[in-house]
Amino acid sequence: MQEMDISLKKLDSFFLAVGAEDDYTQFGTRTLADLKKLVPCEQAAGIFVNASGKVMDCCLIGIDEKWGYIYKEYYASIQENFHLGMKKDRNKKRYAKEIRQIIWAQLPENEFIKECIGARGVQYSLDFSLFDNRGQSRLVLALDRISETPFSEKEIKLLNMLAPHLDNIHRKFFLTSGPERKIARRSDARIEMETLTKREKEVVSCLCEGIPTGDICEIMNISQSTLYRHIANIYKKLDISSMQELLVRFLGK
């Protein structure tokens, strides 16, 4: 019972610590560092992804900075097929993906495994994604073990338990930045936003983030014709006729 109480205290401290972070990069770094204490490993990496699925940056713990460049270069080269762009299964209420142990020696060798994973001596990994409020993968966390001892079933179970709660905490960085706060810079722009429906505001938010229309359809789970109808309504309500005018209106660009 005493051992269980100590574990619960550690978990409580973990969630309080990561939940208190207001800076997104610091949130990723703090989460990795504290996860290493709960699920011991020698190395850890966090990969930040934008709304279009493009790798933007990474944070590394116990890993030389040169590997960060290799991570970004490799993921950028296979962007269309890489799983960082995955979305939550909208038909499932539980966390999107069960975390399973990666045993690198059992995978077919490729350039990345040879030049990054193998060169770093990584034997086993546990990785998972944290999502934004639209269900897009935005932060991928990886715990890497270079020792011959694999992650235990208890450690994997613990990480699967932590992931959904981390996901909820992670979404605060996106839920608190709605179109009204994030985009509208002037009082007249904020007033114009109020003339739009909730879905139209989501479209404006995506367009101002530079997300391609095809990706917006997937994010919002709508057809291309529906998206274009939303855009037409937005143009009409705002009395504009081009994307450039929309960006100038809300971003001042």
Side-chain angles (χ1 to χ4, degrees), residues 4-20:
M4 178 60 71
D5 290 340
I6 294 174
S7 296
L8 290 175
K9 288 180 181 179
K10 286 183 178 180
L11 294 178
D12 187 50
S13 297
F14 168 75
F15 286 121
L16 285 174
V18 298

Side-chain angles (χ1 to χ4, degrees), residues 29-93:
T29 302
R30 181 62 181 268
T31 299
L32 277 179
D34 288 2
L35 276 178
K36 282 178 81 273
K37 299 175 183 178
L38 297 173
V39 183
C41 60
E42 295 86 359
Q43 303 175 355
I47 303 167
F48 297 95
V49 187
N50 69 10
S52 299
K54 181 181 179 182
V55 175
M56 301 301 294
D57 200 359
C58 61
C59 56
L60 308 171
I61 297 180
I63 305 174
D64 191 280
E65 288 186 2
K66 69 178 181 180
W67 299 116
Y69 174 79
I70 294 177
Y71 266 116
K72 288 187 284 186
E73 286 293 302
Y74 175 74
Y75 293 147
S77 69
I78 57 171
Q79 201 64 58
E80 291 185 1
N81 299 317
F82 189 58
H83 73 275
L84 289 187
M86 69 182 178
K87 295 180 269 298
K88 281 186 176 180
D89 186 340
R90 298 179 185 274
N91 297 318
K92 295 182 179 180
K93 295 183 179 180

